[in-house]
Each structure stands twice: as C-alpha cells, then as structure tokens.
Amino acid sequence: MASLNGATVFVTGANGGLGTAFVEAALERGADRVYAGARTEKKWGDARVVSLQLDMADPASIDRAAGQAGDTTILVNNAAIFPRGDLLSAPIDDITTTIETNLTGPIRLTRALAPALRSANGALVNVNSVLSWFAVGKAHSVSKAGLWMATNAFRLEFASDGVQVLGVYPGPTDTPMQPGEDRSGMSKPSDVVASVFDALEAGEYEVLLDEMTKKVQAALSQPISALYPTLASR
Ligand SMILES: NC(=O)c1ccc[n+]([C@@H]2O[C@H](COP(=O)([O-])OP(=O)(O)OC[C@H]3O[C@@H](n4cnc5c(N)ncnc54)[C@H](OP(=O)(O)O)[C@@H]3O)[C@@H](O)[C@H]2O)c1
C-alpha cells in the first residue's frame, strides 16, 4: 500500500478546488515533491512543489510533462471539465473535448508514467465521480463512466507490478465545478482529499465519498428505473 510520506506525487488540475487540496494534503502528509500540473503555471510558495504546464487535451503537452516527472511515485488524475450541453444537441467538439480531457488524457498520462509507477511500486489515483454511474452529467458522465472502467482495467494490468490503483467517487463537492449559490450539502474538498489519502494509505481499491454516491452505486443492481424514476411512468 502506498504512503504519502517520502512520495513524489503528480496532481493534474492542480489549480482547481480538489487539485489544490490534493497538493496541500500531499505536502502535509510528508511528500518529498509534488508536481502541480496545470494549464496555467503558478507559484506555490513551497520549494517541494514543482509547477508543470499541462493540457490534458494535448498529447504533446502530456508527453512533455511526463518527461519532466519521471520520478513520480503517485499519480493523481484529477483534472476534468464539465460542459452542460446535451449529447444530442451540443457542438460535437464539446463532447469530444470532454472525452479527450477527462478520459483519453488520463489514459495517456498513466501510460506515459507507467514505467515510473512500476519501478516505485507506486500508485494511481483516478478521480471519477458519482456521475460515473449516473447519466445526468451527459458528456461528463460518459467520460467518467469510461474513466471508471479504465481505472478497473489499469488495476488489473498493474496488479502484477505492485502498483496500487484507487478509484475515487465523490458526490457534489464545493469547488468551482459546481455552479450556483447554494453550497449546502456539498462535501469540503479538504475532507474529500483526507478520505482519499486515508483510503490510499490503507491499501483500498475504491473510495465512495458520500451517501448519495453509495445509493447510486447500489441502484446499479436494480432495474434501470430505480436510478431514473421517470422511466417507470411509461
Ligand atoms: N466538484 C464536484 O462536485 C465533483 C464531484 C465528483 C467528481 N469531481 C471530480 O473532481 C475532479 C476535480 O474537479 P473540481 O471539483 O476540483 O473542479 P475544478 O475546481 O473545476 O477543477 C478542475 C481542474 O481541472 C483543470 N482542467 C480542466 N481542463 C484541463 C485541461 N485540458 N488540462 C489540464 N487541466 C485541466 C482545471 O484547470 P483550469 O484551472 O486551467 O481551469 C481545474 O483546475 C474532477 O475530475 C471532477 O470531475 C468533482
């Protein structure tokens, strides 16, 4: 099981709500170095943080960043976008960019850093979502369902190399990704990240962060109308 103490942690989407919490918590738990991957580099005020320019929708950017982070022992695939348009009517580029950023990008980065993770007996943390199992997020849900399955496939492929793979399933969390004024009922990013790192250090495969997420996952074994009640009225 992975330990943050002495680790070299690579966090994508490091400037975001959960990303910033991942960087800060990794430092608090004793990481030697944190690569903060972001579209816009910024100063972190801690010598252990190395800013890396990273666009998850750009394969060349992913290869470049991975090339600068060959000593990574824990990769946190956290970056994502959430455009709200319908699958049937949004510009198709919005759909493909969502899948490229949220699914293909993390697969590319994981492949690029796989030698590092293998040689460290390290860990992969994929930030999936309750929307991996619930279609209301449209293209975002499609991408997160794909990342759920990619997480499971990576776990099988890495098993013989001693690389731990943790799938993370948050529900609504108080970050810029959530629109609107009403923040009640949302998890705090620092609480989510504390649970994620506790699960990682305990050797878990998955962490479901809240009751909503647990209910949605449980409903997958029910008829489809359990998750989508409007279908029951037909
Ligand atoms: N908030 C929730 O309710 C919730 C629930 C379940 C799962 N999640 C998941 O949690 C993760 C973190 O999201 P968050 O809630 O912290 O949202 P956030 O604050 O919007 O952070 C998302 C980060 O991803 C980065 N990003 C977007 N496109 C990128 C690209 N092409 N290349 C590199 N970075 C890119 C953004 O960069 P910029 O700073 O450059 O925009 C931003 O820093 C996501 O995977 C999200 O799906 C969130």
Side-chain angles (χ1 to χ4, degrees):
M1 64 194 65
S3 168
L4 272 301
N5 193 27
T8 297
V9 183
F10 189 135
V11 179
T12 72
N15 294 353
L18 278 167
T20 300
F22 273 119
V23 172
E24 289 170 351
L27 295 173
E28 278 162 21
R29 292 188 187 221
D32 278 352
R33 179 174 299 168
V34 180
Y35 292 113
R39 287 187 284 195
T40 311
E41 292 177 65
K42 72 169 193 187
K43 291 204 183 343
W44 284 87
D46 187 308
R48 291 173 293 167
V49 183
V50 179
S51 267
L52 287 181
Q53 206 286 327
L54 174 65
D55 182 347
M56 292 300 285
D58 176 357
S61 169
I62 291 172
D63 285 346
R64 216 168 26 246
Q68 294 170 270
D71 58 343
T72 298
T73 63
I74 298 174
L75 169 60
V76 182
N77 276 316
N78 165 75
I81 53 172
F82 192 166
R84 259 65 184 183
D86 285 352
L87 275 187
L88 281 171
S89 56
I92 193 68
D93 284 355
D94 289 4
I95 313 289
T96 56
T97 301
T98 304
I99 292 169
E100 189 68 25
T101 305
N102 298 2
L103 173 59
T104 316
I107 292 172
R108 287 186 201 280
L109 184 59
T110 303
R111 288 164 58 104
L113 289 176
L117 300 183
R118 283 196 190 99
S119 73
N121 294 131
L124 169 66
V125 178
N126 279 349
V127 182
N128 303 326
S129 174
V130 63
L131 298 180
S132 296
W133 301 315
F134 197 38
V136 297
K138 304 164 187 176
H140 184 84
S141 290
V142 171
S143 68
K144 290 291 180 175
L147 191 60
W148 163 47
M149 204 50 75
T151 304
N152 292 337
F154 278 133
R155 188 178 296 110
L156 296 176
E157 293 183 26
F158 272 135
S160 57
D161 301 316
V163 176
Q164 183 187 348
V165 178
L166 178 68
V168 175
Y169 300 87
T173 306
D174 187 0
T175 74
M177 188 172 279
Q178 285 286 346
E181 295 293 308
D182 183 7
R183 320 306 282 175
S184 58
M186 291 189 194
S187 301
K188 275 175 54 184
S190 55
D191 292 344
V192 168
V193 168
S195 298
V196 171
F197 281 163
D198 285 350
L200 184 70
E201 294 191 314
E204 305 287 351
Y205 292 136
E206 292 190 328
V207 55
L208 279 61
L209 273 306
D210 48 53
E211 287 310 309
M212 178 198 290
T213 304
K214 289 174 190 168
K215 275 189 188 153
V216 168
Q217 190 208 38
L220 292 176
S221 61
Q222 303 294 312
I224 191 83
S225 55
L227 265 180
Y228 307 102
T230 52
L231 299 178
S233 58
R234 268 180 59 229

